[in-house]
Amino acid sequence: MLLDLTRIRKSNDDLDRTLQPADLSQEGEAYRVVAPVRLICGVHKDHTRFRLTGTVKGEMELDCSRCLEPFRVPVDLRFDHLYLPHTEASAVVEQEVEDDDLETSYYQDDQIDLGELVREQFYLALPMKPLCIEDCKGLCPQCGTNLNLSVCGCKQVWEDPRLAALKSMSTHDA
Ligand SMILES: [Zn+2]
Ligand SMILES: [Zn+2]
């Protein structure tokens, strides 16, 4: 989804767009966008510079790093992004670096790719180690059973043999 900069006349303009999963090319990303994403921001115009400040709200689907099951996490991020015309790029890079919180990109052909902006925010929101639940039990290393959902027979292997002996004794008594 592209933002046509020639249509922005005022120095402050509000933007409210909903991007569908299909608007966001997700090839090779560690997350999947499975629901519409809402982008709400203010567009501040200063000659050829555009500063977009706002929020990205949606959901992303990840695969749990322990049990490999897909799960969804809400995304609600604030951003502050400065866009400069591509031609000016090399000249102004240095003076913009001073503000750490401000991300800087370049636009071409009077257009800003909003899909790219949203993709970047999702990327920044990615957890280092995605877990479906805090204490996900993961998969059994032997049979691959998802231990959050069921118990597998492999546990017997780890049973204390002395405990097994006790158990069989009590069965005999009965
Ligand atoms: Zn899990
Ligand atoms: Zn098992």
Side-chain angles (χ1 to χ4, degrees), residues 62-149:
L62 301 170
D63 291 323
C64 175
S65 58
R66 275 188 207 151
C67 71
L68 314 179
E69 286 295 318
F71 67 101
R72 292 182 182 193
V73 248
V75 173
D76 186 354
L77 293 161
R78 287 201 63 77
F79 64 86
D80 192 351
H81 214 121
L82 183 69
Y83 288 87
L84 309 170
H86 193 67
T87 44
E88 266 187 46
S90 47
V92 283
V93 150
E94 275 182 57
Q95 79 186 76
E96 295 307 332
V97 171
E98 61 199 35
D99 191 344
D100 289 343
D101 293 334
L102 199 61
E103 293 169 77
T104 307
S105 303
Y106 305 99
Y107 68 84
Q108 271 176 295
D109 308 322
D110 290 319
Q111 287 173 331
I112 287 176
D113 185 346
L114 296 176
E116 182 63 38
L117 172 66
V118 169
R119 276 198 299 276
E120 267 175 48
Q121 300 311 310
F122 271 65
Y123 186 73
L124 292 172
L126 276 180
M128 294 276 276
K129 189 177 164 68
L131 288 176
C132 60
I133 44 168
E134 191 85 31
D135 56 349
C136 169
K137 296 188 183 74
L139 301 175
C140 168
Q142 294 176 57
C143 71
T145 294
N146 183 340
L147 300 174
N148 298 311
L149 303 175

Side-chain angles (χ1 to χ4, degrees), residues 157-173:
V157 177
W158 307 105
E159 194 171 12
D160 189 326
R162 286 166 300 180
L163 195 68
L166 275 173
K167 269 189 187 169
S168 70
M169 270 168 72
S170 57
T171 341
H172 285 303
D173 289 344

